[in-house]
Amino acid sequence: MTHHPMGSAEPLLAVRDLRVTFQRHGEKAFRAVDGVSFDVRPGQTVGLVGESGCGKSVTSLAIMGLLPKRGNRVEGTAIFDGEDLLSLSPSAMRDRRGADIAMIFQDPLSSLNPVVTIGRQVTEVMERHQGLSRKDATPKAAELLERVGIPDPRARLINYPHQLSGGMRQRALIAMALACNPRLLIADEPTTALDVTIQAQILALLKELVVDTGTALVMITHDLGVVAGLCDEVNVLYGGKIVERGGRHGLFQRPRHPYTVGLLNSIPRLDAPRGEKLSPVPGSVADNLPWDSACAFAPRCPNVLDVCTQEQPGWDGDQVVGYRCFNPMGGPR
Amino acid sequence: MTDRASGTTDESPRRPSYGQRRRARIDALATAGTVDDQPGVSLIRSAWLRLRRNPVFLIGLAITVVFVVLALVSPWLAPWDPTARPLLDQVRPQSNPVPGPEPGHPLGADDRGRDLLSRLLVGSRQTLIVGVFATLFGLLGGLVLGTLAGAMGGWVDSLVMRVVDVMLSIPSLLLAFTIASLARSPSQWTLIVAIAVVQVPIFARLLRGSMLAQRSSDHVLAARSLGVKPRAIVFRHMLPNALGPVIVQATLSLAVAIIDAAALSFLGLGNPDQRQPEWGQMLGLAQRYISEAPHLAFYPAGCIIVVALGFTLMGESLREALDPKSRR
């Protein structure tokens, strides 16, 4: 894959100090995303990695303005092309969604409207944003379906989602997301609901589309395999904060944060001796400490020091590479 | 046999061999169950393909069709004018208040000498009209309120749903009875309005619930993520997907509406005009002679039960066919 030099172009999306707090009436507020900052440059693929509950999906929904209206507070900025997405009016944000920024979701079957044909669902986006008539949009929809690798696209236009296989559905969703040539695509675990061979196909397709069109891609996943194959930059999230960032080569060769190391070690290996147990990261997110006065990961950390439960670790590094740890693997730099 | 068949392929068109026919039959069987793979088979169409083979649905459909056809053609089918009193001379208030069957009058007559069969046939019309219109109006009202509540949420939802809760907290027949008794001069429209009002909260609540489920569904989130406008989301992405249970409920409600209509006119809240017979009204009039002539009550009651059964069977099998969990 072509290597995009980091820091060269102006960022397309600059997220700064994003905080999302869920507050239900009479209950303690819960901060799902706690000061996340990252940049996405045109044509770049940025990964957000972490286990369930680390805030990666909430981050993407907050950027897209898709969080429920009530019960949450979003702070910080997400500058896209000079405009702060988080302070846009709902209707201005609607005009952006689908046209400039699109999103692909995890479960392709439930993400498609079951009573509307694939063709209608693809043309709907183009009618909405490009002002095309349905008649003019239909041949374009067929082209799109062909571009995402759906065989016999004309016949598929009149199919309903349940008549397509899982891989085809995800391709159709990608076609819908790409219908108006968005400059940024957010993929929220796009391969989780698919079997392994289809996963590889969909990832290859995404990679190809990103390279061809220069679309920037934010890849949200818990699967480090996906990250290794696709992302230029990787952000590891834990408890709503980015705990480590790096280029994919650097991160995989020399992970610094004990959580990143834990994630890498928990991947099953083909070359490991038979019968060897998998090594999960011990404990669960429920053990987290509040970031304000400690490192949230401390209770699960093999490298834990006294200071980890007394002070919040700061960011050690810069915009491109760095980690948030008192006692990183391989010692302090 | 295969050799012979291949040796005679260039002959003029002939009857397919036994083997060919058998293969064709097996091929037909093998593909019989794979309706889902044909292009353009919508959920509704595949539900219909399942329904077609469901005996319960067919029985319900047959009953319904028979009664609807009877109601449509009854003015021409009825042997007597339902208002005429051909057997009036046989009515003896003391010894024989209700004339029994006799040639030309297979079910006999009522206490005023009117042909019972003709009145039953013509009465099907009023009963079905009341049932269908009451359900239709109830459905419309429920659609409007349910869509409003489910789509808008917030205080609109709270307001609509509290009204609906209040209405549902009153027993339905009592509520219908109260509304019907408000009318100055009862007619079949009194019945239709009263029963429709009772049905509105049922439909509204049902639709609101399935709209809410749709609102938090992945495909609505996906549509929002593509910038689809709120109106299109409600009417193209939420409403069509939320309608399934409402349609089923409408079929079942037809049965309830017919029974309720009969109950109200039995209690004298329906059309009092005996020139327009109606089963519930006939049932009410039959009460005076229930010991001497129970058949007078039996026939209209039987008709009500059978029609209600027809709609219920149809509704239940429709529910089963549209419910993805009960698919075999």
Side-chain angles (χ1 to χ4, degrees), chain B residues 14-85:
Chain B
R14 53 182 278 254
R15 201 163 172 271
S17 72
Y18 168 75
Q20 281 170 337
R21 276 180 288 141
R22 189 158 166 242
R23 278 195 296 277
R25 240 186 354 254
I26 293 170
D27 286 350
L29 275 178
T31 52
T34 58
V35 287
D36 280 1
D37 298 328
Q38 292 165 12
V41 178
S42 69
L43 289 177
I44 291 162
R45 194 166 143 69
S46 65
W48 164 241
L49 290 174
R50 268 192 310 279
L51 278 177
R52 230 168 42 179
R53 282 183 239 124
N54 184 351
V56 176
F57 175 76
L58 293 179
I59 292 170
L61 185 70
I63 294 174
T64 313
V65 166
V66 164
F67 274 91
V68 168
V69 168
L70 278 182
L72 288 175
V73 303
S74 59
W76 298 278
L77 197 69
W80 297 88
D81 181 346
T83 58
R85 305 166 89 177

Side-chain angles (χ1 to χ4, degrees), chain A residues 113-167:
Chain A
N113 185 342
V115 300
V116 176
T117 59
I118 299 294
R120 276 298 279 120
Q121 298 193 49
V122 180
T123 55
E124 181 180 32
V125 193
M126 290 189 270
E127 288 169 42
R128 161 73 173 88
H129 291 294
Q130 299 180 332
L132 293 174
S133 69
R134 196 190 299 187
K135 210 170 122 238
D136 295 337
T138 306
K140 290 194 161 196
E143 276 170 39
L144 261 173
L145 292 187
E146 187 159 26
R147 213 173 102 205
V148 296
I150 293 181
D152 200 4
R154 298 209 151 269
R156 294 285 92 82
L157 284 177
I158 57 158
N159 275 165
Y160 289 88
H162 71 274
Q163 293 168 303
L164 268 59
S165 66

Side-chain angles (χ1 to χ4, degrees), chain A:
Chain A
M1 192 180 157
T2 50
H3 184 73
H4 296 277
M6 283 175 198
S8 57
E10 273 292 291
L12 179 67
L13 173 74
V15 179
R16 287 291 170 273
D17 204 24
L18 180 72
R19 287 166 204 274
V20 181
T21 317
F22 291 108
Q23 169 88 65
R24 287 181 68 183
H25 198 70
E27 278 175 38
K28 218 176 125 223
F30 174 75
R31 182 159 288 173
V33 179
D34 194 356
V36 164
S37 306
F38 63 94
D39 286 345
V40 186
R41 292 183 173 75
Q44 198 187 20
T45 301
V46 172
L48 294 182
V49 191
E51 65 195 319
S52 305
C54 71
K56 53 194 194 300
S57 288
V58 175
T59 303
S60 65
L61 291 176
I63 295 169
M64 292 290 285
L66 289 173
L67 286 173
K69 282 187 211 115
R70 281 178 287 269
N72 65 69
R73 200 167 75 237
V74 180
E75 294 157 296
T77 56
I79 309 290
F80 178 86
D81 201 19
E83 269 183 307
D84 181 13
L85 297 178
L86 302 183
S87 57
L88 281 181
S89 73
S91 77
M93 192 60 215
R94 266 201 298 281
D95 291 340
R96 285 291 172 110
R97 283 201 297 262
D100 295 324
I101 315 172
M103 194 162 172
I104 310 171
F105 293 91
Q106 183 171 348
D107 182 355
L109 179 57
S110 63
S111 298
L112 288 162
N113 185 342
V115 300
V116 176
T117 59
I118 299 294
R120 276 298 279 120
Q121 298 193 49
V122 180
T123 55
E124 181 180 32
V125 193
M126 290 189 270
E127 288 169 42
R128 161 73 173 88
H129 291 294
Q130 299 180 332
L132 293 174
S133 69
R134 196 190 299 187
K135 210 170 122 238
D136 295 337
T138 306
K140 290 194 161 196
E143 276 170 39
L144 261 173
L145 292 187
E146 187 159 26
R147 213 173 102 205
V148 296
I150 293 181
D152 200 4
R154 298 209 151 269
R156 294 285 92 82
L157 284 177
I158 57 158
N159 275 165
Y160 289 88
H162 71 274
Q163 293 168 303
L164 268 59
S165 66
M168 289 300 145
R169 285 177 203 140
Q170 191 59 287
R171 285 171 195 266
L173 270 178
I174 293 174
M176 284 162 66
L178 294 179
C180 299
N181 303 312
R183 283 179 290 166
L184 176 67
L185 185 62
I186 300 179
D188 189 353
E189 309 223 12
T191 57
T192 307
L194 304 172
D195 64 54
V196 184
T197 49
I198 308 296
Q199 277 185 14
Q201 291 176 11
I202 295 291
L203 289 176
L205 173 70
L206 281 175
K207 203 169 181 174
E208 190 188 309
L209 292 171
V210 169
V211 172
D212 281 1
T213 60
T215 310
L217 178 65
V218 174
M219 190 74 173
I220 294 169
T221 182
H222 62 265
D223 187 345
L224 284 168
V226 169
V227 172
L230 204 60
C231 298
D232 304 309
E233 183 190 296
V234 186
N235 294 289
V236 181
L237 263 81
Y238 189 83
K241 272 191 193 297
I242 292 178
V243 293
E244 182 160 14
R245 165 180 303 155
R248 78 177 133 133
H249 298 293
L251 191 91
F252 282 96
Q253 272 161 19
R254 193 164 179 239
R256 303 300 301 272
H257 198 282
Y259 179 59
T260 314
V261 175
L263 282 181
L264 287 169
N265 286 342
S266 63
I267 300 174
R269 290 183 171 279
L270 265 183
D271 53 2
R274 263 172 168 265
E276 189 189 73
K277 289 207 171 135
L278 295 173
S279 49
V281 182
S284 80
V285 213
D287 304 329
N288 283 4
L289 292 177
W291 276 112
D292 304 334
S293 58
C295 170
F297 187 60
R300 304 171 67 185
C301 184
N303 283 12
V304 66
L305 303 173
D306 284 345
V307 65
C308 296
T309 54
Q310 288 152 10
E311 262 180 70
Q312 181 181 157
W315 182 252
D316 193 350
D318 52 29
Q319 286 285 357
V320 182
V321 197
Y323 52 84
R324 188 184 295 281
C325 188
F326 288 117
N327 188 17
M329 298 302 224
R333 53 165 144 199

Side-chain angles (χ1 to χ4, degrees), chain B residues 9-320:
Chain B
T9 39
D10 50 1
E11 266 185 15
S12 55
R14 53 182 278 254
R15 201 163 172 271
S17 72
Y18 168 75
Q20 281 170 337
R21 276 180 288 141
R22 189 158 166 242
R23 278 195 296 277
R25 240 186 354 254
I26 293 170
D27 286 350
L29 275 178
T31 52
T34 58
V35 287
D36 280 1
D37 298 328
Q38 292 165 12
V41 178
S42 69
L43 289 177
I44 291 162
R45 194 166 143 69
S46 65
W48 164 241
L49 290 174
R50 268 192 310 279
L51 278 177
R52 230 168 42 179
R53 282 183 239 124
N54 184 351
V56 176
F57 175 76
L58 293 179
I59 292 170
L61 185 70
I63 294 174
T64 313
V65 166
V66 164
F67 274 91
V68 168
V69 168
L70 278 182
L72 288 175
V73 303
S74 59
W76 298 278
L77 197 69
W80 297 88
D81 181 346
T83 58
R85 305 166 89 177
L87 294 181
L88 184 60
D89 52 341
Q90 292 188 26
V91 178
R92 301 278 177 282
Q94 297 307 317
S95 56
N96 183 25
V98 180
E102 63 174 72
H105 301 279
L107 300 182
D110 65 7
D111 58 317
R112 301 188 189 187
R114 293 174 296 206
D115 182 50
L116 190 58
L117 178 64
S118 301
R119 284 181 71 75
L120 271 181
L121 281 170
V122 176
S124 64
R125 212 165 222 226
Q126 291 302 321
T127 307
L128 283 180
I129 284 176
V130 170
V132 168
F133 275 92
T135 306
L136 207 62
F137 291 149
L139 180 65
L140 282 178
L143 278 182
V144 172
L145 288 184
T147 308
L148 213 60
M152 310 266 293
W155 66 268
V156 180
D157 182 26
S158 301
L159 184 74
V160 171
M161 280 307 114
R162 291 303 79 75
V163 172
V164 161
D165 284 346
V166 167
M167 288 174 78
L168 284 177
S169 67
I170 306 168
S172 66
L173 207 53
L174 188 65
L175 184 61
F177 190 94
T178 316
I179 295 165
S181 60
L182 291 176
R184 218 172 300 144
S185 56
S187 70
Q188 78 248 41
W189 290 102
T190 323
L191 287 185
I192 290 173
V193 169
I195 294 163
V197 169
V198 171
Q199 305 231 2
V200 165
I202 300 171
F203 286 119
R205 199 184 172 85
L206 194 64
L207 184 64
R208 182 249 186 189
S210 56
M211 288 286 276
L212 283 189
Q214 289 298 321
R215 193 159 68 167
S216 55
S217 73
D218 287 352
H219 72 262
V220 167
L221 183 67
R224 286 175 59 210
S225 82
L226 293 169
V228 179
K229 289 190 170 157
R231 189 152 39 114
I233 291 211
V234 169
F235 290 107
R236 192 176 304 146
H237 293 273
M238 285 163 66
L239 196 57
N241 284 299
L243 274 182
V246 177
I247 291 165
V248 171
Q249 177 63 36
T251 325
L252 295 170
S253 279
L254 270 170
V256 177
I258 286 170
I259 292 172
D260 281 2
L264 289 184
S265 46
F266 172 81
L267 294 168
L269 289 164
N271 191 358
D273 186 356
Q274 293 191 23
R275 283 171 304 178
Q276 279 188 332
E278 197 267 288
W279 293 340
Q281 177 205 60
M282 291 168 71
L283 197 56
L285 293 172
Q287 294 312 299
R288 279 169 63 194
Y289 305 100
I290 194 77
S291 50
E292 297 96 324
H295 71 273
L296 219 51
F298 177 80
Y299 288 122
C303 285
I304 292 167
I305 291 170
V306 173
V307 169
L309 180 72
F311 282 119
T312 310
L313 291 182
M314 228 165 62
E316 278 296 326
S317 37
L318 201 61
R319 185 182 59 72
E320 233 169 71

